[in-house]
Amino acid sequence: MASNRHLGRIVALQTLYEQDFRREAGDESFDLGLVLKRNIARYESTVDDVFFIEELVKGVAKHEAELDDELRPLAPEWPIEQIARMDRVVLRMGLYELKYTKDVPPKVVINEAVELAKAFGGDNSSKFVNGVLGTALKLQNGEVSAPDAASSESTEAA
């Protein structure tokens, strides 16, 4: 099931990346539900946890503004709009899972996000994603306070 969830995250990433790209391009015809359905259909023979994919995509889309607001102070040197699109989508997915899914251990969520960043992001994407989501987890667990988050993230990412 774990490897199947990894593939599910890839399908979710493709869908959310397309949404972000087409929205920025001003494509008003974009329909998240149709794109999600199309992307799931491409992998129907290998994906058996469709519910996980649908919940992840719909959850990230629904909470996008809130996720972005939480990501901003975690990477203050990088305005959310200037973060590479792939990294931005991976961060949203990872933060969503940390906040809203309780059936996956937080370290697994971060590891999965790092693996997606390695596979689909730039040279430093995995380190950046690891630092930001690691700081988000520390905040969530009360290990650091909000003002300390930025300095903790920047030392981890260095």
Side-chain angles (χ1 to χ4, degrees), residues 1-9 48-49 52 104 108 112:
M1 179 143 136
S3 62
N4 194 277
R5 283 224 169 155
H6 181 73
L7 178 58
R9 286 182 182 93
D48 59 10
D49 197 354
F52 171 76
V104 181
V108 172
E112 282 290 317

Side-chain angles (χ1 to χ4, degrees), residues 7-23 30-43 53-54 56-58 60-61 64 85-86 89 92-93:
L7 178 58
R9 286 182 182 93
I10 291 171
V11 173
L13 179 63
Q14 290 173 336
T15 304
L16 292 164
Y17 182 92
E18 183 174 343
Q19 176 190 36
D20 199 70
F21 181 85
R22 289 176 62 180
R23 184 178 45 222
F30 181 80
D31 183 325
L32 182 64
L34 289 175
V35 172
L36 177 59
K37 191 174 182 177
R38 179 198 69 207
N39 288 345
I40 289 172
R42 288 180 177 166
Y43 299 96
I53 300 167
E54 292 173 342
L56 182 56
V57 168
K58 291 174 183 175
V60 171
E64 183 178 313
R85 179 175 285 112
M86 186 61 67
V89 174
R92 287 174 183 153
M93 288 173 53

